Each structure stands twice: as C-alpha cells, then as structure tokens.
Amino acid sequence: MSSDEEREEKELDLTSPEVVTKYKSAAEIVNKALQLVVSACKPGTKIVDVCEKGDSYIREQSGNMYKNVKKKIERGVAFPTCVSVNNTVCHFSPLASDDIVLQEGDLVKIDLGCHIDGFIAVVAHTHVIQEGTVSGRAADVIAAANTAAEVALRLVRPGKKNKDVTDAIQKVAAAYDCKIVEGVLSHQLKQFVIDGNKVVLSVSNPETRVDDAEFEENEVYAIDIVTSTGDGKPRLLDEKQTTIYKRAVDKSYHLKMKASRFIFSEISQNFPIMPFTARALEEKRARLGLVECVNHDLLQPYPVLHEKPGDYVAHIKFTVLLMPNGSDRITSHALQELQPTKSIDDPEIKAWLALGTKTKKKGGGKKKKGKKGDKPAESTEAEPMDTTNGATTQE
C-alpha cells in the first residue's frame, strides 16, 4: 500500500474530525426521523405512509447538507424505513399498493438509516401504540432488548471480543424469559459499507459461525438486538413480502429479460451501494425484474421474517463510535414507561450495567470541548443503569 493510500485509509476513520462530524450529522437526521415516525404510528394509519414519511424526511434533510461543496458528496437513505408489527421480526416496508394499517395495541419495530458521504448512522426502536404504561409480556420483551442493548454498549469497547457480547445478550434475554432472535448480526460500519467484516452474532450455534474479533479504538458498529417471547427462530412466510434489496457489487450476470435489465440498470444508477426499497421502482416492472436479479445473486434480499402469531418481538439498534475517550452512542430514542413482569437479579448482569462507557484518562486528562452544534442527546455519558424495569431514558 502506498503512503498516499495509507493516509487516505487513515483519514477515513474516527481520527478525522470531519468523519466524526459526518457520522453525527447522519445520526441527528436519523434520531429526528425516528421521532417523526414514532409520532406517525397511530391507529388507522397505513404502514406504507409511515415508511414513506421516514424516507422522505431523511432524503430531504440529508439533501440539504453539503450542497455547496465542490466535490459532490453522496448522501441519503442508508436503510429504508421499516415498520414491523407484533410477531413480524423485521424488514417490513410495503409497496405503495399495500393497504395494511396500524391498530391500537400494536407493538411496532421501526428501523431506518441515513448516510452522509457514506458514513452511516442506523437506529431501531420498539413502540407500543397505546397511552400509558406498557406492561406484561410486551414490556418484558422490550425491556429485554433495551437491557441487552445497554449491556452491549458497555461491552463493545477496545480489548473486548465479539463473543463476550453474544454470550452477555443471551443471558440478559433469559432473565426476562425471552429469547434473542437467531440470524441477527451486528456489523462494523465503514464508509459506504453497512455490513462490515467484523461481526457480532446474536446467537452462537453450530450453523452460524463468525470469525473471532476484537473491538478496536476508532471503529464504528451498528449493534442490533432483537428479542422475542417466542422461540427466537423466525420463518420466512411469503417471499412476496420482501421489498428491500441491496446490490451485490461483486456479482455479474447477463440478464435475459428486458424488464430485469431495465430494473437492474435503474438500481445500478440510483442505488449502487446502499439497501433500497422496491417502492422506489416502477411497481409492475419491478415485480418481474427483481425475481431474475435475485435468482442470479445480483441483489441481496432482506426477507420479512416472522415468529408465531401471538409472540411479541422487540428490536433495538444503535450506532456507536469507539472514540479514544470511550464509547459514544449516537442514535437512540426514549422508551415508553415499562412495567415488566421480571427484573434483573443476576449479579453479573448488574455488574455489566454498572460499567460506565467513558474511558477515564490517567492523570485526569483534559475534558473534551463539545463542538458547536453538538447536542447533549448525541453523547450518552452512560450512567449505571437502573435495573428495576429495564427502561432507561435514552434522550
């Protein structure tokens, strides 16, 4: 590698203040988009309208940034807005023709992402459409996801290993008599890479193996926690529900159908790297063309998975920057008041939750000045967590 390349590589991690600013700008948009989507989740509202609201906001806000720079900067949706209800696990972002509406009492998982110049911030949050305190098993599953996320935040730090996090989050879920959902991966994020090579498994089992990895300073991770009151082994019920895809940049194939070639050309032009929703394509033509593209591995589908009817599924995802002065969680949303049926008594879990997330420098290192425009909400100086109900305010 030439010294120029090395410098380029070095400048594109968190040692560059400009990179940190871009991550935090994307995070600010994501946090506000999430707030907007949560407030739009009302009984009788079409899910597709809620998803479109999130995507439009991200497009509009990111489009207003870096407008007047000489070199064009890519920016926009890094993961389409998904609203997955009750026992639906993830990736539900229906087409415009879909009429499914939200109902009172629905437990909704909202998942979305934004990027500025390829620097990605993602978030997922769980919300019950009701007034007042959430109780019973719905509260258990949300508290399990939130507590597991809080533990993960404290264990994703330089020197710790991915396996430490996998084992810990399963222990937390079990304390609430819930399961961590299999097949969910937490990935390292890099510029224009939403699924980096360093991975944290949600559940370790013989079928799913990932390389052992150690977290390092100046890395960025999307920590993805999905919990269930069911068996945690989700199923694909209907391939037609899949609407989110990502172009597989390392694959090529000469498509036979005209519709496929047209759609693939449109995708390559408009969504060359980041995941996208088929809503952004012309629907009739897309249905035909996407099938051939997926069959020949040109597109990676994000399937809509389900637990059994009656099961509750919760999802918490956050983006964390492993800064020299500690972990900086840059995406989050406050939870509703929860009244779970279980509480945390395990001393090991309590010890994890008592850990801070900031690194204390020897000799009382200088306090870092906040940048102009940085909001206190973005930097979670994580307090030891109250373990009574699994709900910490993440504002």
Side-chain angles (χ1 to χ4, degrees), residues 154-165:
R154 288 154 175 80
L155 295 181
V156 176
R157 54 171 61 194
K160 288 281 186 191
K161 294 193 163 54
N162 53 358
K163 190 180 180 300
D164 300 335
V165 180

Side-chain angles (χ1 to χ4, degrees), residues 186-190 193-199 219-222:
S186 295
H187 285 276
Q188 184 183 2
L189 299 172
K190 290 186 171 183
V193 181
I194 202 166
D195 47 7
N197 291 338
K198 278 195 183 179
V199 171
E219 290 181 336
V220 182
Y221 285 88

Side-chain angles (χ1 to χ4, degrees), residues 179-182 228-235 307-308 311:
K179 290 273 199 315
I180 293 284
V181 171
E182 290 184 8
S228 172
T229 57
D231 63 7
K233 297 176 192 294
R235 296 149 197 83
E307 283 277 67
K308 293 191 181 80
D311 291 341

Side-chain angles (χ1 to χ4, degrees), residues 179-221:
K179 290 273 199 315
I180 293 284
V181 171
E182 290 184 8
V184 179
L185 299 175
S186 295
H187 285 276
Q188 184 183 2
L189 299 172
K190 290 186 171 183
Q191 190 181 25
F192 291 110
V193 181
I194 202 166
D195 47 7
N197 291 338
K198 278 195 183 179
V199 171
V200 180
L201 265 181
S202 51
V203 179
S204 46
N205 60 32
E207 293 93 75
T208 328
R209 288 275 167 86
V210 298
D211 293 339
D212 287 344
E214 193 174 293
F215 304 112
E216 293 174 51
E217 204 171 275
N218 295 318
E219 290 181 336
V220 182
Y221 285 88

Side-chain angles (χ1 to χ4, degrees), residues 15-129:
T15 52
S16 157
E18 195 187 344
V19 168
V20 175
T21 299
K22 285 172 181 173
Y23 273 117
K24 289 194 169 183
S25 300
E28 195 175 330
I29 292 170
V30 152
N31 290 332
K32 285 179 179 166
L34 176 56
Q35 218 168 339
L36 187 76
V37 171
V38 169
S39 60
C41 287
K42 292 190 165 61
T45 308
K46 278 164 67 169
I47 292 179
V48 64
D49 293 345
V50 178
C51 293
E52 204 42 65
K53 197 167 221 170
D55 289 352
S56 298
Y57 182 84
I58 291 171
R59 279 195 299 268
E60 180 188 307
Q61 295 298 313
S62 60
N64 288 336
M65 304 194 75
Y66 295 98
K67 262 182 172 168
N68 304 318
V69 290
K70 282 180 191 166
K71 185 183 163 216
K72 188 186 173 223
I73 283 186
E74 297 288 334
R75 57 216 189 277
V77 173
F79 199 85
T81 305
C82 302
V83 176
S84 307
V85 176
N86 299 332
N87 63 311
T88 303
V89 176
C90 54
H91 303 151
F92 191 75
S93 190
L95 297 172
S97 55
D98 194 292
D99 288 329
I100 298 178
V101 298
L102 294 166
Q103 321 241 339
E104 180 73 28
D106 276 349
L107 182 149
V108 298
K109 278 83 60 191
I110 299 156
D111 187 3
L112 47 85
C114 170
H115 79 96
I116 304 288
D117 195 19
F119 297 104
I120 299 163
V122 287
V123 74
H125 174 72
T126 302
H127 175 80
V128 180
I129 301 179

